[in-house]
Amino acid sequence: MNKCTVFRISLQASPQAFRLLKTLVMKLACVYQGLGALEEYSALLLRTLTECLDPTGYTLQYITPESIIKGDLSKRVHLLAIGGGYDLGLIEALGSRGMANIRDFVHSGGAYLGICSGAYFACDRIEFDKDGPLQVVGDRELKFFPGVCIGPLYNPYDYNSRKGSVVAHIGFKTPMYGHILNLAQSSTGTHTDTLISSLNGISHSSEFLTKKRDSALSQINGIQNSEQSCNNHMLNSGYDVESRAYFHGGGQFVLDNTELNGHVQVLSRYLDLEGTPIAMVSCNVGQGRATLSGVHIEVTGEDIDDGDTLVEHLVPVLKQHQAENNLIFKCLLQKLNLQVKL
């Protein structure tokens, strides 16, 4: 009996060994956990990635600044995600070596998702509460976005509470889907069918989509009656989706050069602020890509429905728009060339 035969028999006799082998060949999607990232936001980001990514292709786990410094952003890692917190803590924890490793990881083909402070951290410069009591202004080392992130928008920010939190009115539009979505209100349902097909990366007949639409929507959005919700907020307004998303301390993205030159795509704007500043961007970085968001698109109404009087009025609005936010989050992942769960 040769070694290959023994190995096949051992796998047949041990499902645990087969699952271990499968795990070892899957790509890693890592969420930063350490100084500079609030534990709550890291947990919510890991949760949402677990819900949205294709479970057959990725293993989800936390990664520490020490591991990044050591060089653990290996070829097996496909995504590094950094959520809310404070970017000065990220700088302190990672140091020049850790930040250089992140930069090299993305330039070599990796994907980076930055939300709130993770987005500030990835810009050329930041201006946080400029001339205010919480001022943090300066250059940053990653420079995935060629410009400045300016915040906090809306209300004053409080590091120790949810004071200043709002639901931001955002419009989401991406060139990846803009040409295939029919946004006319008279075509209710058609744009939703097309988006399902787009997310799957395949093309189906309208008859097939009609039969599968309800179950597919339930899987995409994770809630019941999601088709009606999506139809109500995919408006004929120039945006693929309009929604309300949780916001606490984030910023707007201002390009140094208004000519994008194919390196930066504007994905979303704040529709309730003067001038509709940029809320989300996708940046080509060497062979990789970075997607940055000023809003906490990963936070649901249930996540903040804990009796906090500062945000209790936001809970029903976020619950109403959960379908849209789930859909937007999956589109952000697809912009990073990640396979989403359907």
Side-chain angles (χ1 to χ4, degrees), residues 48-59:
T48 307
L49 286 168
T50 302
E51 292 174 351
C52 292
L53 284 173
D54 180 355
T56 66
Y58 304 94
T59 298

Side-chain angles (χ1 to χ4, degrees), residues 177-178 180-206 208-223 225-235 239-242 323-324 326-328 330-331 342:
Y177 300 122
I180 62 172
L181 290 179
N182 183 351
L183 299 179
Q185 290 177 326
S186 61
S187 62
T188 299
T190 303
H191 56 268
T192 308
D193 293 337
T194 309
L195 183 56
I196 295 172
S197 177
S198 170
L199 288 173
N200 274 299
I202 56 178
S203 177
H204 291 312
S205 68
S206 59
F208 179 88
L209 283 169
T210 299
K211 293 178 180 179
K212 296 299 183 181
R213 179 178 59 201
D214 292 339
S215 60
L217 275 166
S218 177
Q219 291 173 345
I220 289 176
N221 298 311
I223 61 175
N225 300 320
S226 55
E227 179 183 2
Q228 180 179 0
S229 177
C230 283
N231 287 338
N232 288 340
H233 302 291
M234 287 182 173
L235 305 178
Y239 294 96
D240 298 339
V241 184
E242 284 192 32
E324 292 76 46
N326 284 349
L327 212 150
I328 290 172
K330 288 192 175 184
C331 287
L342 296 168

Side-chain angles (χ1 to χ4, degrees), residues 22-34:
K22 182 179 178 181
T23 300
L24 291 175
V25 299
M26 292 170 71
K27 296 177 181 178
L28 289 176
C30 298
V31 174
Y32 176 93
Q33 184 181 56

Side-chain angles (χ1 to χ4, degrees), residues 172-181 194-195 197-201 240 265-267 282 289 291 330-340:
F172 182 84
K173 183 175 179 64
T174 165
M176 188 174 184
Y177 300 122
H179 67 289
I180 62 172
L181 290 179
T194 309
L195 183 56
S197 177
S198 170
L199 288 173
N200 274 299
D240 298 339
Q265 294 176 343
V266 175
L267 304 182
S282 178
R289 181 169 288 178
T291 296
K330 288 192 175 184
C331 287
L332 294 180
L333 296 181
Q334 284 225 325
K335 292 299 293 181
L336 294 170
N337 298 319
L338 295 157
Q339 298 298 316
V340 297

Side-chain angles (χ1 to χ4, degrees), residues 68-79:
I68 293 174
I69 293 170
K70 189 171 62 175
D72 286 348
L73 289 175
S74 63
K75 291 183 179 180
R76 192 178 157 218
V77 177
H78 192 89
L79 170 70

